[in-house]
Amino acid sequence: MTGSQPDIRKRTAKPTASSKIVKKVWIKASKEVVYSALIEPKELVQWFCDRASLNPCEGGEFVASWRGQKTGQKGRAIIKQLIPGSALDLLWTDDGSGVQEKGASHTLSYEIQSKAEMTVLIMTDKDDSISDEETVEFLDKGWNSVLLDLKDYCERKERTLKLKNHPGSQSEIDSE
């Protein structure tokens, strides 16, 4: 793109059979910090939603609520896979727009890897319900924002933990 605004008239609005968004985020935090941000309700509200409850086991339920301008929105998912420190797969039964259509499947998967003293989070959002190109593009941009919030949250938490555990930190100085 040359910096000009795209011509919306040229966009095709043809429906696709499914949409799949894959994002990779490099986070300067441990796998443990990133994993905790994905499964702890008090941490999920720092970057993902306004209210959360989660039963962190396979078959457990995840409920998230978001405040809206006039009404709130609530989503529900079932944990299909949970590998502590490595992976989380959610099957959305209600993604906030109402109960999923019969036969439709919406999954959100996170894979956590350690690379060069960083954590790589690979997020895959796959929705088998029919989505048009414009909706997929909107969701893709939305995930950029959400995952940047996760990255910022995890990196702040990691810095805080390092300060608390660092020799000569304020907590140790106060205790002398």
Side-chain angles (χ1 to χ4, degrees), residues 30-138:
S30 68
K31 284 176 65 171
E32 295 77 20
V33 165
V34 174
Y35 177 73
S36 180
L38 296 173
I39 66 154
E40 292 294 332
K42 67 182 183 218
E43 294 187 49
L44 283 159
V45 300
Q46 299 297 316
W47 66 274
F48 184 69
C49 55
D50 295 311
R51 292 183 59 188
S53 68
L54 185 136
N55 180 7
C57 65
E58 290 185 13
E61 184 178 52
F62 170 49
V63 179
S65 300
W66 297 267
R67 289 185 206 109
Q69 291 177 343
K70 292 186 179 182
T71 61
Q73 189 176 8
K74 185 183 270 189
R76 294 181 185 281
I78 302 298
I79 298 174
K80 297 309 268 180
Q81 179 183 37
L82 182 67
I83 303 171
S86 298
L88 172 64
D89 292 345
L90 300 166
L91 174 63
W92 288 94
T93 56
D94 178 352
D95 61 10
S97 57
V99 176
Q100 296 285 9
E101 296 175 24
K102 190 170 178 89
S105 175
H106 182 191
T107 57
L108 183 59
S109 301
Y110 296 100
E111 181 182 340
I112 305 167
Q113 304 172 351
S114 288
K115 301 269 184 174
E117 297 184 25
M118 293 182 78
T119 298
V120 178
L121 179 73
I122 302 165
M123 189 251 10
T124 304
D125 183 352
K126 186 172 186 299
D127 193 342
D128 291 340
S129 63
I130 297 176
S131 297
D132 60 76
E133 188 177 312
E134 189 174 336
T135 301
V136 173
E137 188 176 308
F138 175 78

Side-chain angles (χ1 to χ4, degrees), residues 20 22 25 52 61 85 97 99 109 116 139 148 152 156 169 172:
K20 183 176 180 181
V22 179
V25 183
E61 184 178 52
S97 57
V99 176
S109 301
L139 292 171
L148 281 175
D152 289 345
R156 271 192 325 271
S169 70
E172 289 188 15

